[in-house]
């Protein structure tokens, strides 16, 4: 076979590992040589101090803009919810003459929703710019992945939900007294779903909390791999002011759930009965009591009551945990309380021991006299005094065990430090003694050598 045949043969089969590795090394060397010999050499990008200062200023500006945008988005979201509530209540009590004003209120809800969507998109653009500035990115598509885009789209859809302005006229479905028809099922669902906008509250609290403002918080958290998110801020609030957080949460849940339940049950009650019944039914369901005098009639009302009961169980558990934490002794209070109990038990033990000795002496005295009635009485008194003495000794022993079980870590550290110091001092003293023994042994050996040499000389 010639060389041409061998070339055809090698084209049909892959090269060996050694040959492929050799070819890769050669290609890498060629590329490195071409890069080094090229006229346009690549420089290592190193940020100057002025560039880093510019980035820090830009990031601070973007964070401030994010704070302002979060406040405005929250205000617009709450404004839309407030207009929706006013529209719903005025629609229930309004007449046909109010149709134009109510339609304008619906249009204002749509207008505030549109502005809210623009602000939300602007907020996320600022967030992407901040991420690009912190990581020195140029292309924004690197900062936006599929998960991030899905969350932004979900947030836009949640904030876009609202009762749209309908073309329903006043004479369509009106009653004989000229009242406007109440909301349809679709409008009721869209109005209730507008309360999902309250998710903007944790975001605003996070951006304006001291966790992000304080540099020490961020630096220590970064060293400990802590993510500064809504959960961490809620934990801080629950540890610092748990009573306020639970009170605001319970009142907000009561008001919102009562209004939503009254809207769901509006067709089954007249006048203000739906709101008063809802204000009574929600706390009863929240506290898992359930008298049964008022029950929801619609599917929407049943769902609201079910969710209220589930959230009530969670809030009750949090309330019990907070109450137990508040009722627990502090370290200083535990020491003071245990110290006073120890003194009290010692006094009781001394009194019980004195009673035992007194009853024993009286028993010995009446035994000598021979008064058997007094003897039996003092025997019973002696047994009772011994029993009381033993019981108080057991209480004192249990208290000592409890105090010994609550030994502080700092005290244990001090004890271990003292032991270490004693061991090190004894070790140093032992080394000194050993060195002194070595010197004495050297002196003795020198004396022996001198004595042997002198004996040799004399001999």
């Amino acid at each position: 076979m010639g060389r041409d045949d061998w070339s055809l043969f090698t084209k049909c089969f892959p090269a060996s590992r050694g040959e492929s590795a050799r070819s890769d090394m050669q290609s890498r060397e060629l590329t490195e040589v071409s890069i080094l010999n090229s006229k346009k050499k690549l420089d290592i990008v190193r940020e100057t101090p002025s560039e880093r200062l510019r980035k820090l200023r830009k990031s601070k500006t973007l964070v401030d803009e994010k704070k302002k945008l979060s406040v405005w988005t929250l205000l617009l979201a709450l404004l839309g919810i407030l207009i929706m509530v006013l529209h719903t209540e005025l629609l229930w009590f309004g007449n046909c003459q109010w149709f134009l004003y109510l339609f304008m209120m619906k249009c204002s809800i749509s207008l505030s929703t549109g502005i809210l969507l623009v602000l939300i998109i602007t907020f996320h653009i600022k967030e992407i710019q901040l991420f690009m500035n912190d990581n020195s990115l140029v292309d924004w598509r690197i900062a936006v992945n599929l998960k991030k885009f899905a969350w932004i789209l979900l947030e836009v859809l949640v904030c876009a939900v609202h009762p749209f302005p309908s073309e329903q006229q006043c004479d369509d479905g009106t009653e004989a007294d000229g009242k406007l028809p109440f909301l349809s099922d679709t409008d009721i669902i869209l109005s209730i779903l507008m309360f999902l906008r309250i998710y903007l509250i944790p975001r605003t609290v996070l951006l304006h909390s001291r966790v992000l403002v304080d540099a020490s918080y961020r630096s220590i958290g970064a060293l400990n791999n802590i993510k500064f998110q809504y959960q961490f801020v809620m934990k801080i609030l629950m540890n610092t002011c748990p009573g306020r957080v639970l009170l605001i949460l319970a009142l907000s849940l009561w008001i919102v759930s009562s209004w939503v339940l009254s809207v769901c049950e509006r067709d089954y009650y007249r006048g203000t009965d739906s709101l008063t019944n809802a204000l009574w039914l929600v706390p009863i369901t929240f506290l898992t009591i359930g008298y049964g005098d008022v029950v929801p009639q619609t599917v929407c009302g049943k769902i609201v009551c079910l969710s209220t009961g589930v959230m009530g169980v969670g809030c009750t558990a949090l309330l019990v945990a907070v109450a137990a934490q508040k009722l627990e002794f502090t370290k200083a209070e535990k020491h003071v309380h245990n110290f006073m109990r120890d003194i009290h038990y010692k006094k009781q033990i001394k009194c019980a021991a004195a009673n035992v000795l007194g009853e024993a002496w009286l028993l010995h005295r009446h035994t000598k006299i021979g008064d058997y009635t007094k003897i039996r009485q003092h025997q019973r008194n002696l047994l009772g005094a011994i029993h009381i003495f033993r019981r108080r000794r057991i209480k004192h022993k249990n208290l000592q065990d409890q105090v010994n079980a609550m030994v502080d870590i700092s005290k244990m550290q001090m004890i271990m430090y003292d032991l270490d110091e004693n061991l090190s001092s004894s070790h140093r003293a032992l080394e000194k003694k050993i060195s002194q023994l070595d010197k004495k042994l050297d002196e003795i050996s020198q004396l022996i050598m001198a004595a042997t040499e002198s004996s040799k000389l004399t001999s």
Side-chain angles (χ1 to χ4, degrees):
M1 296 177 68
R3 292 183 177 179
D4 299 333
D5 298 332
W6 278 109
S7 61
L8 292 172
F9 183 76
T10 54
K11 287 180 182 178
C12 296
F13 293 94
S16 62
R17 293 182 180 177
E19 292 177 355
S20 62
R22 198 177 300 111
S23 62
D24 292 339
M25 290 292 292
Q26 291 176 356
S27 62
R28 288 177 184 173
E29 289 176 359
L30 289 172
T31 53
E32 289 175 358
V33 169
S34 61
I35 289 170
L36 291 172
N37 294 329
S38 61
K39 294 181 180 179
K40 297 180 179 179
K41 294 184 178 180
L42 297 175
D43 296 330
I44 298 173
V45 179
R46 292 181 180 176
E47 293 181 355
T48 60
S50 60
E51 184 69 20
R52 285 197 289 267
L53 183 60
R54 186 189 64 81
K55 287 177 64 177
L56 287 173
R57 289 175 179 174
K58 187 177 179 181
S59 63
K60 185 178 180 182
T61 305
L62 290 172
V63 169
D64 292 337
E65 291 177 357
K66 279 180 62 178
K67 289 181 181 179
K68 293 178 182 178
L69 286 171
S70 65
V71 173
W72 282 109
T73 51
L74 180 60
L75 290 177
L76 275 175
L78 296 177
L79 179 63
I81 293 173
L82 180 62
I83 296 173
M84 181 269 298
V85 172
L86 290 175
H87 172 265
T88 305
E89 295 299 326
L90 291 176
L91 184 63
W92 176 253
F93 296 102
N95 296 320
C96 291
Q97 292 83 7
W98 296 10
F99 177 77
L100 180 61
Y101 303 104
L102 296 174
F103 183 77
M104 290 177 64
M105 291 182 71
K106 261 194 171 181
C107 293
S108 62
I109 295 173
S110 299
L111 180 61
S112 64
T113 302
I115 299 173
L116 176 63
L117 295 178
V118 173
L119 290 177
I120 286 173
I121 294 172
T122 308
F123 176 83
H124 285 290
I125 290 173
K126 296 295 180 183
E127 191 174 10
I128 293 168
Q129 290 177 357
L130 180 62
F131 183 80
M132 292 173 62
N133 182 63
D134 292 339
N135 295 278
S136 301
L137 300 177
V138 179
D139 193 358
W140 63 271
R141 288 171 290 187
I142 301 174
V144 181
N145 53 8
L146 185 60
K147 184 179 180 181
K148 179 70 175 177
F149 182 76
W151 277 111
I152 294 172
L153 183 61
L154 178 62
E155 186 174 352
V156 170
L157 290 176
V158 167
C159 292
V161 173
H162 70 284
F164 300 98
S166 60
E167 298 180 355
Q168 185 181 7
Q169 300 296 327
C170 184
D171 54 356
D172 296 338
T174 54
E175 297 178 358
D177 54 356
K179 292 194 67 175
L180 284 167
F182 194 56
L183 296 173
S184 61
D185 294 338
T186 305
D187 287 339
I188 289 175
I189 294 172
L190 293 176
S191 300
I192 293 172
L193 290 178
M194 282 188 69
F195 284 99
L196 294 176
R197 298 181 181 183
I198 61 176
Y199 80 93
L200 294 169
I201 296 176
R203 174 189 293 175
T204 308
V205 172
L206 175 63
L207 290 174
H208 288 81
S209 63
R210 63 175 182 175
V211 174
L212 293 181
V213 175
D214 195 355
S216 59
Y217 250 110
R218 294 199 303 270
S219 58
I220 295 172
L223 291 174
N224 292 280
N225 295 323
I226 294 175
K227 295 181 180 180
F228 294 103
Q229 295 179 350
Y230 311 130
Q231 296 87 354
F232 184 65
V233 177
M234 288 302 297
K235 289 178 183 178
I236 291 174
L237 292 175
M238 284 298 297
N239 281 300
T240 54
C241 48
R244 296 179 186 176
V245 174
L246 287 176
L247 181 62
I248 293 171
L249 182 62
L251 289 177
S252 303
L253 181 63
W254 179 36
I255 294 170
V256 173
S257 300
S258 300
W259 186 84
V260 171
L261 184 61
S262 68
V263 171
C264 293
E265 303 288 325
R266 195 65 62 93
D267 292 334
Y268 288 89
Y269 298 97
R270 295 292 180 184
T272 58
D273 292 339
S274 61
L275 184 59
T276 54
N277 290 331
L279 289 171
W280 165 252
L281 180 60
V282 166
I284 295 302
T285 309
F286 184 83
L287 298 173
T288 63
I289 298 173
Y291 289 116
D293 53 347
V294 180
V295 293
Q297 302 294 330
T298 60
V299 178
C300 175
K302 293 176 181 178
I303 293 173
V304 171
C305 290
L306 180 62
S307 60
T308 303
V310 172
M311 287 185 285
V313 171
C315 290
T316 305
L318 288 175
L319 182 61
V320 171
V322 170
Q325 184 182 3
K326 293 296 182 182
L327 293 174
E328 187 179 0
F329 278 134
T330 61
K331 189 182 294 184
E333 290 172 348
K334 283 181 181 178
H335 287 307
V336 171
H337 179 64
N338 291 328
F339 181 74
M340 296 305 296
R341 286 177 65 190
D342 183 68
I343 293 173
H344 180 66
Y345 284 153
K346 284 181 179 179
K347 289 181 179 179
Q348 287 184 347
I349 289 170
K350 289 179 181 179
C351 292
N355 292 330
V356 170
L357 291 176
E359 293 296 334
W361 183 80
L362 290 174
L363 178 63
H364 176 70
R365 178 184 175 185
H366 289 288
T367 303
K368 284 186 176 181
I369 296 173
D371 191 355
Y372 294 102
T373 305
K374 296 288 184 179
I375 291 173
R376 285 190 293 269
Q377 180 181 356
H378 288 294
Q379 283 179 348
R380 286 192 293 268
N381 294 337
L382 179 62
L383 291 175
I386 293 172
H387 178 69
I388 293 172
F389 176 75
R390 288 178 178 176
R391 187 171 59 190
R392 291 176 179 176
R393 284 286 302 273
I394 290 171
K395 286 183 179 181
H396 186 256
K397 185 177 179 299
N398 292 333
L399 178 62
Q400 287 181 344
D401 294 338
Q402 184 180 359
V403 171
N404 293 329
M406 294 188 300
V407 177
D408 298 330
I409 298 176
S410 60
K411 192 179 292 183
M412 288 294 296
Q413 289 179 349
M414 292 298 294
I415 292 171
M416 294 299 294
Y417 180 75
D418 293 337
L419 290 174
D420 188 26
E421 286 291 329
N422 294 328
L423 287 174
S424 61
S425 62
S426 62
H427 181 68
R428 287 192 295 269
L430 185 62
E431 285 181 349
K432 288 181 180 179
K433 289 181 179 180
I434 291 172
S435 62
Q436 291 175 359
L437 288 174
D438 289 337
K439 290 179 181 180
K440 290 181 179 180
L441 287 173
D442 292 337
E443 291 176 357
I444 291 170
S445 62
Q446 289 176 0
L447 290 173
I448 292 172
M449 291 294 293
T452 53
E453 288 177 356
S454 62
S455 62
K456 287 180 181 179
L457 290 173
T458 55
S459 64

